[in-house]
Amino acid sequence: MLILALGIVSCKDNLEESPYSSLSKEVVFKDEDGLNQATIGVYQAWTAPDFVDISSRFILTESGHRYATAGILGSGADPYYRFGHVSTSGAFEAVWSRFYKIIFRANTVIANAKLAVPGEEEEADPYVAEARFLRGYAYFNLVRLFGGVPLILTEVTSLSDEDIIFAPRETDVAVYDAIIADLNFAEANLPDSRGGAELGRVSAGSAKAMLGKVYLTMAGKPLNKTENYQKAVDKFAEIVGPVNEEKYDFELIPNFADVFSLDNERNREIVLSFGYFVNSSNPNGNILPFNLFPAGLVNGDEQTNYGLTYDFYKLFEKTDTRRPFTLVDRYVFTGGARAGAQEGDSIIYNPTIGNYIIKRTNASLAHDDFKYGIAYGKLARVPRPAGAAVQGYSADLIEMRFSDVLLSYAEALVETGKTALALPLLNRVRARAKATPSKATAAAALRTAIRAERRLELTGEMTTVFDIRRWGTLQQEIAAMSEDQIVDNVLIPYSPRLELYPIPQSQIDANPNLRQNDGW
């Protein structure tokens, strides 16, 4: 820093440069168009090119349970799926940084929106509502991952704002209160639904759905605020049913696979998603197909680092249309010869040996020195666009679907003693999948059925670990794991500290007011 300062002093006094990488708020918020662009920038923060945290967020929310195991090329989820992670593990810093980048941008819009519409400040409210929804959702992810975190709700305008930059951790209750306040404002100031050029932006329907999910989460562990089950019921009731679904433009679309099609993105089942558009300025796109698809499914060079066990495959009925789309148990190899396979080879998963087999040679695909699982396939199976990086796919990142709303609503109804109302919601999801209707009626049986259905319907959609934590079933999940699903056969035993991830050590080191989670 001293060398840099001396260099600046020695420069000519009349040397001036125009900043091309940023704009002042007076320029950005000079009119409503600028405000709109700044608001879109908050959405963009969810999908910015530094894509590693997207893969990391998948790992943190979808590994570490009885059905998670290694992929064909090993396990990118290691050490997370065997609970051997530490506070310096890179995934924590990656997701933490992404969420606070989103919060930073949202705070800037919230603080300056009214500058764009002087004398007509109420016209800024819908944009503020969007920013507050996106901020609230970022905090909803943070509190479920790490517990209480620094609550930064004002704009950072200078490095001298140390009381904001070095904010201490708040309680998880305080964070949830802020989330609810943000979503309530969004619900009151957004249109019921979106269409046309605005399709994909959040709506009052999105806010109601997310509020219901927040209440449901608060009713479970660790808060155990069971009065929130009724709040969840009340909120979900506002968006479920023929009249409400028409009003808020929601639907359980008939064909499960169509939900994820590139030709059908932002369909009526999508409550919240963030768009990926691979182009010359962003060749990276969505990394998840590259990380999750089996090698040769669409391009030939996929790097499968996550798998699901054959026991999970067996949970699905044979008629269930979700099974062949969620789990790629057989496919035709595409792309150049690799991992022992050639273009056109039939690849079939063999559960006896725990490997994919190349039918032509009867040899294992890639590896036979360790067992690995069936690859996850619940994404648009479309080759990456021409010119994209190897990890660059255009599939949107789906954050919440209407089937999640139906199953969450059913769960809240069970917990408030309304089991007769819950069963039709469960069976609506099962009927779409061509699965046998559930006949559970008693609360305990229906609770078990709904939890199992969430696995079948939502695995891989960044819900699994959050469900396990709020249900308080992590200890049972670890007890149900076997060492042969761990590459090095070492499984860390259950400890209460595993109910939360550690605060990234880099943040502890940078902020003297942060304290680490217990046990880490």
Side-chain angles (χ1 to χ4, degrees):
M1 292 180 67
L2 177 61
I3 292 170
L4 177 61
L6 290 172
I8 292 172
V9 170
S10 67
C11 290
K12 295 180 180 180
D13 292 340
N14 64 351
L15 179 60
E16 296 183 2
E17 292 188 23
S18 298
Y20 292 102
S21 61
S22 62
L23 298 171
S24 69
K25 66 181 180 181
E26 290 77 17
V27 172
V28 173
F29 297 101
K30 67 180 180 179
D31 54 29
E32 190 170 348
D33 181 63
L35 171 56
N36 181 54
Q37 293 300 318
T39 306
I40 292 172
V42 186
Y43 287 90
Q44 191 272 342
W46 285 90
T47 60
D50 46 336
F51 54 82
V52 173
D53 60 300
I54 303 300
S55 180
S56 297
R57 186 150 69 100
F58 182 92
I59 287 169
L60 296 185
T61 54
E62 291 296 331
S63 64
H65 60 85
R66 69 182 70 196
Y67 302 122
T69 187
I72 295 170
L73 299 181
S75 179
D78 180 67
Y80 308 97
Y81 79 144
R82 61 177 173 86
F83 306 98
H85 48 268
V86 293
S87 62
T88 55
S89 298
F92 305 129
E93 173 63 29
V95 298
W96 179 285
S97 297
R98 170 78 75 172
F99 289 133
Y100 274 103
K101 179 187 294 182
I102 293 161
I103 291 164
F104 174 86
R105 290 195 186 183
N107 285 341
T108 300
V109 170
I110 294 164
N112 297 288
K114 288 180 170 52
L115 296 176
V117 284
E120 299 176 321
E121 283 79 6
E122 69 281 355
E123 293 188 12
D125 286 345
Y127 299 101
V128 173
E130 285 184 270
R132 290 191 68 171
F133 179 103
L134 297 171
R135 180 177 71 180
Y137 184 54
Y139 274 119
F140 188 34
N141 280 280
L142 282 165
V143 74
R144 289 180 295 172
L145 289 166
F146 303 109
V149 294
L151 198 54
I152 300 174
L153 302 177
T154 55
E155 181 188 19
V156 176
T157 59
S158 168
L159 290 176
S160 64
D161 295 334
E162 293 189 1
D163 57 330
I164 306 174
I165 296 170
F166 299 117
R169 297 183 65 174
E170 291 285 353
T171 64
D172 46 6
V173 172
V175 176
Y176 275 109
D177 286 345
I179 293 167
I180 291 170
D182 277 348
L183 294 178
N184 278 332
F185 186 89
E187 178 187 21
N189 291 280
L190 289 172
D192 291 341
S193 61
R194 300 281 194 172
E198 293 189 339
L199 191 62
R201 297 176 77 152
V202 294
S203 65
S206 308
K208 288 176 183 292
M210 196 61 68
L211 266 170
K213 189 72 173 287
V214 170
Y215 288 135
L216 183 67
T217 302
M218 294 175 70
K221 293 182 180 298
L223 296 187
N224 293 312
K225 292 183 173 292
T226 55
E227 66 274 16
N228 283 305
Y229 281 124
Q230 186 59 52
K231 292 181 180 179
V233 166
D234 295 342
K235 193 54 59 179
F236 288 134
E238 295 177 19
I239 54 175
V240 173
V243 174
N244 293 333
E245 290 168 36
E246 183 66 27
K247 178 180 180 179
Y248 294 105
D249 201 27
F250 289 139
E251 177 189 13
L252 198 66
I253 69 173
N255 185 3
F256 182 75
D258 287 347
V259 178
F260 306 90
S261 169
L262 290 188
D263 297 327
N264 198 34
E265 290 187 313
R266 301 176 185 84
N267 58 73
R268 293 184 67 195
E269 187 163 332
I270 305 303
V271 174
L272 177 65
S273 67
F274 297 112
Y276 278 86
F277 310 95
V278 173
N279 53 39
S280 58
S281 63
N282 183 15
N284 291 321
N286 185 344
I287 195 175
L288 291 183
F290 177 75
N291 279 165
L292 299 172
F293 284 168
L297 181 65
V298 291
N299 274 106
D301 46 15
E302 296 87 352
Q303 302 290 311
T304 319
N305 61 18
Y306 174 87
L308 289 156
T309 66
Y310 187 65
D311 283 342
F312 181 62
Y313 179 89
K314 291 189 295 183
L315 294 180
F316 292 90
E317 294 177 305
K318 292 181 180 179
T319 59
D320 196 320
T321 58
R322 295 171 298 191
R323 186 174 76 174
F325 194 74
T326 301
L327 296 158
V328 189
D329 67 312
R330 59 192 62 221
Y331 63 101
V332 176
F333 192 91
T334 300
R338 180 169 172 267
Q342 299 176 4
E343 178 89 26
D345 275 344
S346 293
I347 312 297
I348 303 170
Y349 188 78
N350 185 323
T352 302
I353 63 173
N355 287 303
Y356 282 98
I357 295 297
I358 305 165
K359 187 176 180 180
R360 174 178 54 85
T361 63
N362 203 36
S364 294
L365 180 70
H367 291 283
D368 58 9
D369 55 341
F370 64 87
K371 290 186 176 182
Y372 55 79
I374 306 174
Y376 176 82
K378 202 193 299 181
L379 294 155
R381 299 181 188 180
V382 178
R384 58 179 179 266
V390 292
Q391 70 276 1
Y393 292 79
S394 290
D396 284 356
L397 190 65
I398 296 174
E399 302 279 345
M400 188 176 186
R401 294 192 287 116
F402 193 61
S403 59
D404 190 353
V405 170
L406 295 175
L407 292 174
S408 295
Y409 187 18
E411 182 178 343
L413 286 166
V414 169
E415 301 305 333
T416 52
K418 304 176 183 70
T419 54
L421 298 176
L423 184 59
L425 296 169
L426 168 62
N427 281 334
R428 185 175 169 189
V429 175
R430 290 185 63 76
R432 193 264 297 268
K434 295 181 172 53
T436 303
S438 172
K439 296 180 180 179
T441 54
L446 197 46
R447 182 183 298 115
T448 298
I450 291 169
R451 291 183 179 186
E453 196 66 24
R454 289 189 66 83
R455 286 285 181 90
L456 299 177
E457 177 72 19
L458 299 169
T459 283
E461 298 183 50
M462 295 181 288
T463 62
T464 304
V465 168
F466 294 148
D467 282 346
I468 289 168
R469 287 180 174 180
R470 66 185 178 85
W471 292 334
T473 58
L474 179 60
Q475 188 166 5
Q476 293 96 301
E477 288 290 321
I478 294 176
M481 294 176 72
S482 61
E483 290 192 342
D484 65 358
Q485 70 190 90
I486 310 297
V487 171
D488 59 6
N489 299 119
V490 175
L491 176 62
I492 303 299
Y494 174 79
S495 164
R497 70 176 186 145
L498 299 176
E499 299 289 349
L500 288 174
Y501 289 121
I503 301 293
Q505 188 60 44
S506 58
Q507 298 298 322
I508 298 288
D509 294 341
N511 184 350
N513 297 316
L514 276 184
R515 63 171 181 81
Q516 186 55 273
N517 280 326
D518 293 342
W520 294 103

